[in-house]
Amino acid sequence: MLKHGVSGDIIGTTNAGEKVLVEVQQKKDKFFKDRVQYYLSRVIENQVHTSEKYELPRIYFLGLLDFEMFPEEPAEYIHHVDEMCHGKKFFPKIQKVFVEIDKFFELENAGTTKDDHSDAAQWLRAIKAIVKEESAPEKILQNETFQKLMDSVKLINFAEELFNVEVKNMTDLQAEHEEGLAEGRELGFAEGKAEGYADGKTEGFAAGEKAERAKADKEKRDIAKGLREDGVPMDVIIRRTGFSKEEIESL
């Protein structure tokens, strides 16, 4: 059984109950080894927590590397890493295997691994054919497991293409919908702006008119006040300004 997990790209369980962690690392990372230990510790902790005992199953870690991690071994692309004590494995239940993918194909191009027909080599060739969308070697296609893998990938790609087409159609419909909403908002904004401008113009005109009336009223009051101070008869001031006797006397 395989599943994606927080510790590693894939966590699997064999029929014997053994745990398998698969991590695909594309770029060299100085903390990659630290993460490997962290991933393993998480699996170990979960096993103890689940079983409530310290007896662990075998745990395998498989690192598929798209970079060179072991430059000191230029002719080897598979590396088994164990804790050793006096020439013996200290804890054989945990096994770590790292595969340098690029190095394998560099060795193959050089003719070194051309006759390597191990399961690991065949898997790498099959994966390359899938990733590069190349024709798989005839020997790989004769293997039932790899044939099923190729057929599954074709179905997945076909389903993914259908999915992408459907997503595109949905995206186009959504875009049309949003474009319609945007046009509606823009039209509404323009109309509102025009109405607001008209309203603002009216309000501005009213305010200006009110200011002009206030200014004229003040001038009339100043004139009335000046006439009164000059001793002009009250009836003449009333007739000239239109103010009442009380308004003139209050100036």
Side-chain angles (χ1 to χ4, degrees), residues 115-237:
D115 297 325
D116 186 348
H117 300 299
S118 64
D119 289 342
Q122 298 293 64
W123 271 104
L124 290 176
R125 293 183 182 111
I127 291 173
K128 179 186 178 184
I130 292 171
V131 173
K132 300 292 185 180
E133 297 184 350
E134 300 173 346
S135 298
E138 186 63 30
K139 190 173 183 62
I140 290 179
L141 294 176
Q142 292 174 358
N143 184 293
E144 183 180 356
T145 299
F146 292 128
Q147 185 60 58
K148 288 181 178 179
L149 175 64
M150 298 293 180
D151 292 341
S152 297
V153 171
K154 289 178 182 178
L155 288 173
I156 290 171
N157 288 339
F158 177 70
E160 184 177 356
E161 185 63 26
L162 289 177
F163 174 76
N164 289 335
V165 170
E166 187 64 24
V167 169
K168 183 180 183 301
N169 291 337
M170 294 176 63
T171 303
D172 291 343
L173 288 174
Q174 181 67 18
E176 291 177 4
H177 178 65
E178 291 182 355
E179 185 178 352
L181 289 176
E183 290 178 356
R185 284 195 297 266
E186 185 176 351
L187 180 60
F189 176 77
E191 291 177 351
K193 184 177 180 181
E195 291 178 1
Y197 176 76
D199 291 343
K201 187 176 181 180
T202 301
E203 291 177 0
F205 180 80
E209 188 177 29
K210 183 179 180 180
E212 288 296 325
R213 286 200 301 268
K215 181 179 179 182
D217 184 73
K218 183 178 183 299
E219 289 177 351
K220 284 175 63 177
R221 289 178 180 277
D222 290 341
I223 292 173
K225 182 180 180 181
L227 292 175
R228 189 199 64 186
E229 291 175 349
D230 289 341
V232 177
M234 182 64 67
D235 59 329
V236 176
I237 298 174

Side-chain angles (χ1 to χ4, degrees), residues 85-108:
C85 182
H86 304 297
K88 295 182 180 180
K89 294 181 180 179
F90 177 72
F91 191 72
K93 281 188 173 182
I94 296 180
Q95 297 186 29
K96 289 176 280 189
V97 180
F98 298 90
V99 180
E100 296 174 301
I101 299 174
D102 280 350
K103 184 183 287 185
F104 170 78
F105 290 109
E106 288 174 2
L107 293 171
E108 182 148 272

